[in-house]
């Protein structure tokens, strides 16, 4: 079985409230930030175009910093799986600026046999095409998708993947220990 991981909310932590507060405290800013995020994540717009849509001068460095916290207990699990010869892959909704930062900063990304960054595959979760792209690229149909967002888990299951709604490492470890061939 291949374990396909989401990044944010699973391996990397959710957006830092402290950094978010330095970006803006205005609800209108955050409404625009999230409304235009899918296009930015898919790579449909550049960083400059995205920030123009948000209606704010570019905050690329702060935005990258706001998403840059990692759960090192999860990174240790990735190493365990990789060292045991398990196939692991990554599917993440992430804009190019963020992807480049993660690649420069975190060598553990090399553990994944596939890094499917939405900005590079042109599809973002929960779009069915993102999961189909991964399935086809991995050449396997026995895939466990791990994500903290239930809507993404359900979307993966609709493509024939197994799904695990991640709520913490203990539940994931228990599942991996119970699933044959993991």
């Amino acid at each position: 079985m291949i374990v396909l991981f989401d990044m944010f909310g699973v391996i990397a932590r959710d957006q830092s409230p402290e950094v978010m507060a330095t970006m803006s405290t205005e609800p209108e800013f955050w409404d625009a930030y999230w409304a235009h995020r899918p296009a930015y994540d898919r790579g449909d717009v550049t960083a400059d175009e995205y920030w123009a849509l948000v209606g704010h001068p570019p905050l690329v460095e702060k935005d990258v910093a706001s998403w840059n916290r990692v759960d090192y207990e999860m990174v240790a699990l990735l190493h365990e799986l990789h060292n045991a010869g398990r196939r692991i892959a990554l599917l993440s909704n992430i804009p190019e600026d963020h992807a480049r930062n993660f690649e420069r900063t975190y060598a553990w990304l090399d553990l994944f046999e596939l890094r499917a960054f939405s900005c590079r595959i042109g599809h973002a979760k929960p779009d069915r095409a993102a999961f189909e792209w991964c399935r086809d690229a991995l050449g396997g149909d026995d895939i466990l998708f791990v994500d903290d967002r239930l809507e993404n888990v359900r979307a993966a299951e609709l493509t024939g993947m197994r799904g695990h709604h991640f709520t913490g490492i203990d539940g994931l470890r228990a599942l991996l220990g119970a699933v044959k061939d993991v």
Side-chain angles (χ1 to χ4, degrees), residues 4 7-8 15 25 33-35 41 44 48 55 70 74 77 101 105 133 138-139 147 152 171 179:
L4 178 62
M7 176 118 66
F8 300 102
Q15 199 170 17
T25 57
Y33 177 96
W34 291 114
D41 283 346
D44 296 345
D48 287 340
V70 173
M74 280 300 299
L77 176 61
N101 175 69
T105 307
W133 190 98
L138 291 165
D147 197 307
N152 293 336
V179 175

Side-chain angles (χ1 to χ4, degrees), residues 4-180:
L4 178 62
F5 287 91
D6 169 49
M7 176 118 66
F8 300 102
V10 177
I11 302 164
R13 299 185 190 277
D14 287 330
Q15 199 170 17
S16 164
E18 296 80 15
V19 179
M20 290 172 71
T22 69
M23 294 167 69
S24 179
T25 57
E26 299 298 320
E28 298 79 15
F29 170 89
W30 292 106
D31 289 345
Y33 177 96
W34 291 114
H36 300 289
R37 197 64 178 209
Y40 187 35
D41 283 346
R42 278 190 312 271
D44 296 345
V45 297
T46 66
D48 287 340
E49 292 167 333
Y50 168 71
W51 289 104
L53 290 168
V54 171
H56 197 282
L59 294 172
V60 175
E61 288 183 27
K62 284 187 177 186
D63 193 36
V64 168
S66 74
W67 291 101
N68 208 23
R69 302 176 307 154
V70 173
D71 182 338
Y72 287 101
E73 189 176 8
M74 280 300 299
V75 171
L77 176 61
L78 296 175
H79 281 279
E80 289 173 33
L81 293 171
H82 179 76
N83 292 340
R86 302 302 175 200
R87 295 180 68 191
I88 58 173
L90 181 69
L91 171 59
S92 181
N93 289 356
I94 186 172
E96 184 63 37
D97 303 299
H98 295 247
R100 281 195 311 267
N101 175 69
F102 263 78
E103 289 172 326
R104 280 191 310 265
T105 307
Y106 299 114
W108 50 261
L109 283 171
D110 292 337
L111 299 173
F112 296 110
E113 76 174 70
L114 174 74
R115 290 187 299 231
F117 292 143
S118 58
C119 61
R120 296 180 185 163
I121 68 170
H123 307 289
K125 300 172 290 174
D127 182 0
R128 179 183 186 97
F131 300 101
E132 291 171 342
W133 190 98
C134 289
R135 183 192 61 218
D136 294 346
L138 291 165
D141 53 4
D142 189 11
I143 299 171
L144 172 66
F145 178 64
V146 178
D147 197 307
D148 64 311
R149 295 177 151 243
L150 195 53
E151 69 180 317
N152 293 336
V153 171
R154 297 293 178 247
E157 290 172 340
L158 290 174
T159 67
M161 294 182 185
R162 297 185 213 189
H164 174 70
H165 182 216
F166 181 85
T167 58
I169 194 168
D170 293 337
L172 178 59
R173 279 189 180 281
L175 174 66
L176 293 176
V179 175
K180 199 173 191 174

